[in-house]
Amino acid sequence: MSAGSPGRKGEPLARKIILDCDPGHDDAIAMMLAWGHPDIELAAVTTVAGNQTLEKVTRNALAIARVAGITGVPFAAGAARPLVRPLETAPEIHGASGLDGPALPEPHHELDPRHAAQLIVDLVLASDPGEITIVPTGSLTNIALAVRTAPEIVDRVREVVLMGGAYGGGNWSAAAEFNIAVDPEAADIVFGAGWPVTMVGLDVTHRALATADVRDRIHALATPAARFVGDLLGFFAESYRSTQGFEAPPVHDPCAVALVLDPTLFTVRRAPVAIELSGTHTRGMTVVDLRAPAREDCRTSVATDIDADRFWDVVVDALARIAPQSARAEARA
Ligand code: BDR
Ligand code: CA
């Protein structure tokens, strides 16, 4: 389903995605982009502990569903902690709730009773080969569990397009990006599973900045969903300014959704990616080998550039499409 699903006859088939996330300010915007854009069909939303505890990020996901008027999409909670290590969260970026800034409405959506990994397995096995793309925007624990539960999903999934990693320096440590650093063992499983994996890392997401101009455009939409995003970006801007000195916040997670719906927004290069599991100062680093053209059988790729102006056009357009659905859903509530 997507906000634009009904009545899109004659348009090219939308790409069906499972969004596995830890909302999270930028995860929220990723979810709204996936819901609002007519070229994406949201098959499920699954949650994983990361930016905050599983309980908090799941509650946040359901609150976003209500704000955006998301209906007909299963939501399932997954792993409460990484495969091997204790959970690390990021309250200094996302606040105590994981989604500080806007008022969060009480969720209306019922959670699917299945573990996220089981829901992913069930949906992939029930789909045609190549039908489903998995878009993780949190740590990769659920996806690794799904692979270990049912390795046969690897050949049925079209591709994995994830926000995480970096080849030019991290944010959680000098070497590692947060989503990979939280659960490097899971990342190792996912990058090495043999399905196509595209890493949308800090190398591009640090160029997807919500500048004053972008925030003005979102504000001008004057819809409930846009106001919610405006409040999210207000908090996010202050977090990134005070913790990392950014003049405008990098909005990471929607970049992965955007790459699925319009690959021409990015430059992507095939390259081997190894996950550092044991380095004293580099644990969680994505070691990307860009020394030479990769072999044809290399299954991993990395995004190396983004057309940020067109990316924001796509995001603003998708937010604009959410308005009628959101208002109708609120009226029915
Ligand atoms: C990633 O970490 C999280 O805090 C964000 O939601 C994003 O997925 C960026 O490093
Ligand atoms: Ca995230």
Side-chain angles (χ1 to χ4, degrees):
M1 296 281 288
S2 85
S5 299
R8 292 190 298 111
K9 290 194 177 63
E11 291 186 17
L13 275 184
R15 287 279 299 274
K16 204 182 242 195
I17 71 163
I18 297 173
L19 180 67
D20 185 71
C21 57
D22 60 340
H25 294 67
D26 48 339
D27 302 83
I29 299 170
M31 200 192 301
M32 290 196 184
L33 172 58
W35 175 244
H37 200 287
D39 294 347
I40 293 283
E41 183 178 339
L42 195 51
V45 175
T46 51
T47 58
V48 62
N51 284 327
Q52 261 301 350
T53 62
L54 181 68
E55 188 188 350
K56 289 182 181 180
V57 299
T58 303
R59 189 210 175 277
N60 294 344
L62 297 179
I64 298 157
R66 180 160 175 200
V67 172
I70 298 177
T71 54
V73 177
F75 279 60
R81 54 159 292 183
L83 294 183
V84 177
R85 300 165 195 277
L87 176 64
E88 294 179 75
T89 59
E92 61 279 22
I93 299 290
H94 298 276
S97 71
L99 205 57
D100 278 14
L104 300 179
E106 275 307 309
H108 277 172
H109 218 93
E110 290 269 313
L111 266 187
D112 191 289
R114 285 169 284 186
H115 188 285
Q118 190 60 51
L119 177 62
I120 292 167
V121 167
D122 290 349
L123 287 174
V124 171
L125 294 185
S127 68
D128 290 333
E131 194 181 341
I132 289 191
T133 294
I134 299 180
V135 182
T137 61
S139 68
L140 293 164
T141 322
N142 289 338
I143 315 304
L145 288 170
V147 168
R148 286 292 188 255
T149 304
E152 63 271 31
I153 67 169
V154 167
D155 289 334
R156 294 187 80 87
V157 165
R158 177 171 174 149
E159 58 177 331
V160 176
V161 179
L162 62 94
M163 192 283 131
Y167 56 82
N171 58 1
W172 198 240
S173 71
E177 182 279 331
F178 178 75
N179 289 339
I180 308 299
V182 167
D183 196 343
E185 285 75 16
D188 188 46
I189 291 170
V190 172
F191 275 84
W195 47 16
V197 176
T198 301
M199 175 182 117
V200 182
L202 301 178
D203 318 289
V204 292
T205 68
H206 276 179
R207 296 177 217 166
L209 302 172
T211 59
D213 176 57
V214 166
R215 290 171 63 187
D216 286 348
R217 288 173 67 193
I218 293 171
H219 181 76
L221 296 175
T223 63
R227 270 194 290 277
F228 187 83
V229 171
D231 291 347
L232 287 174
L233 289 175
F235 184 91
F236 213 40
E238 182 48 29
S239 305
Y240 265 98
R241 194 197 58 73
S242 59
T243 61
Q244 296 180 41
F246 275 82
E247 281 184 19
V251 183
H252 312 276
D253 293 340
C255 294
V257 176
L259 193 143
V260 174
L261 66 86
D262 185 355
T264 71
L265 297 172
F266 295 84
T267 306
V268 173
R269 182 170 163 188
R270 193 187 345 232
V273 181
I275 309 298
E276 179 63 86
L277 297 177
S278 60
T280 307
H281 303 290
T282 54
R283 182 171 56 78
M285 181 179 181
T286 43
V287 181
V288 180
D289 191 348
L290 292 169
R291 290 173 298 172
R295 290 165 42 140
E296 282 293 313
D297 60 358
C298 173
R299 304 293 277 163
T300 50
S301 302
V302 295
T304 58
D305 202 2
I306 178 174
D307 184 335
D309 290 342
R310 282 180 54 228
F311 163 77
W312 283 114
D313 289 346
V314 167
V315 173
V316 172
D317 177 61
L319 287 176
R321 290 172 189 258
I322 286 176
Q325 254 72 19
S326 171
R328 271 209 297 277
E330 266 319 289
R332 279 199 305 269

